[in-house]
Amino acid sequence: MSVVRKTLTSVVSAALLAGGLLVCAAGPASAAGCGDRRDAQIGGAAASWTLTCAKSGRSVRVKGYVEDTRVDGKCAVVRITAGNGHKAPKACGAGKRTHFDYTFKGATTARGRLALR
Protein backbone atom coordinates (compact mmCIF):
# COMPACT_ATOMS: atom_id res chain seq x y z
CA MET A 1 0.00 0.00 0.00
CA SER A 2 1.37 3.43 -0.88
CA VAL A 3 2.24 6.00 1.78
CA VAL A 4 -0.50 8.33 0.53
CA ARG A 5 -3.11 5.58 0.67
CA LYS A 6 -2.03 4.53 4.19
CA THR A 7 -2.21 8.13 5.38
CA LEU A 8 -5.64 8.66 3.80
CA THR A 9 -6.92 5.41 5.33
CA SER A 10 -5.67 6.48 8.77
CA VAL A 11 -7.29 9.91 8.50
CA VAL A 12 -10.65 8.46 7.38
CA SER A 13 -10.54 5.82 10.15
CA ALA A 14 -9.80 8.44 12.79
CA ALA A 15 -12.63 10.68 11.53
CA LEU A 16 -15.12 7.80 11.60
CA LEU A 17 -14.03 6.80 15.09
CA ALA A 18 -14.32 10.37 16.38
CA GLY A 19 -17.74 10.76 14.77
CA GLY A 20 -18.89 7.49 16.31
CA LEU A 21 -17.75 8.59 19.76
CA LEU A 22 -19.59 11.88 19.36
CA VAL A 23 -22.81 10.11 18.40
CA CYS A 24 -22.50 7.75 21.38
CA ALA A 25 -21.99 10.63 23.80
CA ALA A 26 -25.32 12.35 23.18
CA GLY A 27 -28.86 11.08 23.08
CA PRO A 28 -31.41 12.24 20.55
CA ALA A 29 -33.03 15.60 21.12
CA SER A 30 -36.58 15.29 22.31
CA ALA A 31 -39.17 18.03 21.72
CA ALA A 32 -42.13 17.95 24.08
CA GLY A 33 -45.24 19.97 24.81
CA CYS A 34 -47.54 20.60 27.75
CA GLY A 35 -48.15 17.50 29.85
CA ASP A 36 -45.39 15.43 28.21
CA ARG A 37 -42.85 13.35 30.10
CA ARG A 38 -39.46 12.32 28.70
CA ASP A 39 -37.08 9.64 29.95
CA ALA A 40 -33.62 9.47 28.41
CA GLN A 41 -30.69 7.15 28.93
CA ILE A 42 -27.26 6.85 27.32
CA GLY A 43 -24.14 5.03 28.46
CA GLY A 44 -23.08 6.88 31.59
CA ALA A 45 -26.15 9.11 32.04
CA ALA A 46 -29.88 9.05 32.68
CA ALA A 47 -32.52 11.76 32.95
CA SER A 48 -36.23 12.28 33.24
CA TRP A 49 -38.35 15.43 32.98
CA THR A 50 -41.94 16.57 32.67
CA LEU A 51 -43.41 19.67 31.08
CA THR A 52 -46.35 21.60 32.43
CA CYS A 53 -47.80 24.80 31.04
CA ALA A 54 -49.30 27.74 32.86
CA LYS A 55 -53.07 28.07 32.52
CA SER A 56 -52.48 31.29 30.60
CA GLY A 57 -50.47 29.29 28.02
CA ARG A 58 -47.62 31.79 28.27
CA SER A 59 -44.96 29.69 29.99
CA VAL A 60 -43.68 26.13 30.23
CA ARG A 61 -42.15 24.52 33.31
CA VAL A 62 -39.52 21.80 32.89
CA LYS A 63 -38.96 19.76 36.05
CA GLY A 64 -36.89 16.62 36.49
CA TYR A 65 -33.46 15.20 37.18
CA VAL A 66 -30.18 14.26 35.51
CA GLU A 67 -27.95 11.50 36.88
CA ASP A 68 -24.34 10.46 36.28
CA THR A 69 -24.39 6.65 36.15
CA ARG A 70 -20.77 5.73 35.42
CA VAL A 71 -17.30 6.25 36.89
CA ASP A 72 -15.73 7.81 33.79
CA GLY A 73 -14.68 11.33 34.78
CA LYS A 74 -17.48 12.87 32.70
CA CYS A 75 -20.59 14.78 33.76
CA ALA A 76 -24.15 14.02 32.69
CA VAL A 77 -25.94 17.10 31.34
CA VAL A 78 -29.41 17.86 29.97
CA ARG A 79 -29.40 20.73 27.50
CA ILE A 80 -32.84 22.33 27.62
CA THR A 81 -34.07 24.90 25.13
CA ALA A 82 -37.49 26.57 25.24
CA GLY A 83 -38.39 29.77 23.44
CA ASN A 84 -35.33 32.00 23.77
CA GLY A 85 -34.10 30.33 26.97
CA HIS A 86 -31.39 27.74 27.53
CA LYS A 87 -30.43 25.77 30.63
CA ALA A 88 -27.97 22.92 31.16
CA PRO A 89 -28.25 21.21 34.56
CA LYS A 90 -25.50 18.67 35.17
CA ALA A 91 -24.51 15.89 37.56
CA CYS A 92 -20.87 14.97 38.08
CA GLY A 93 -19.70 11.81 39.85
CA ALA A 94 -21.08 8.30 39.60
CA GLY A 95 -24.41 8.07 41.39
CA LYS A 96 -24.82 11.85 41.65
CA ARG A 97 -28.34 13.04 40.79
CA THR A 98 -29.22 16.70 40.26
CA HIS A 99 -32.84 17.85 40.33
CA PHE A 100 -33.90 20.84 38.24
CA ASP A 101 -36.99 23.02 37.90
CA TYR A 102 -37.06 25.79 35.27
CA THR A 103 -39.84 28.00 33.93
CA PHE A 104 -39.54 29.49 30.44
CA LYS A 105 -41.82 32.43 29.68
CA GLY A 106 -43.34 32.81 26.24
CA ALA A 107 -43.07 29.10 25.35
CA THR A 108 -45.35 26.07 25.31
CA THR A 109 -42.77 23.50 24.14
CA ALA A 110 -39.23 22.60 25.15
CA ARG A 111 -36.45 20.48 23.71
CA GLY A 112 -34.14 18.44 25.90
CA ARG A 113 -30.97 16.52 25.02
CA LEU A 114 -29.04 14.25 27.37
CA ALA A 115 -25.27 14.17 26.87
CA LEU A 116 -21.93 13.58 28.54
CA ARG A 117 -19.24 16.24 28.81
Side-chain angles (χ1 to χ4, degrees), residues 33-58:
C34 300
D36 286 345
R37 177 188 169 108
R38 293 290 189 253
D39 297 301
Q41 186 170 0
I42 60 173
S48 179
W49 60 91
T50 57
L51 279 77
T52 53
C53 291
K55 291 181 182 179
S56 67
R58 295 186 184 151

Side-chain angles (χ1 to χ4, degrees), residues 15-113:
L16 289 174
L17 179 61
L21 292 174
L22 182 61
V23 170
C24 291
S30 177
C34 300
D36 286 345
R37 177 188 169 108
R38 293 290 189 253
D39 297 301
Q41 186 170 0
I42 60 173
S48 179
W49 60 91
T50 57
L51 279 77
T52 53
C53 291
K55 291 181 182 179
S56 67
R58 295 186 184 151
S59 67
V60 64
R61 180 180 182 191
V62 183
K63 182 178 179 180
Y65 72 86
V66 59
E67 182 175 1
D68 186 342
T69 61
R70 185 186 300 162
V71 178
D72 57 9
K74 296 181 180 177
C75 296
V77 61
V78 176
R79 295 183 179 113
I80 304 167
T81 304
N84 291 327
H86 306 280
K87 297 288 185 180
K90 67 181 179 178
C92 300
K96 173 74 173 163
R97 179 179 280 196
T98 300
H99 292 270
F100 57 86
D101 188 352
Y102 303 114
T103 299
F104 297 91
K105 296 185 182 211
T108 57
T109 62
R111 180 174 300 275
R113 183 178 183 100

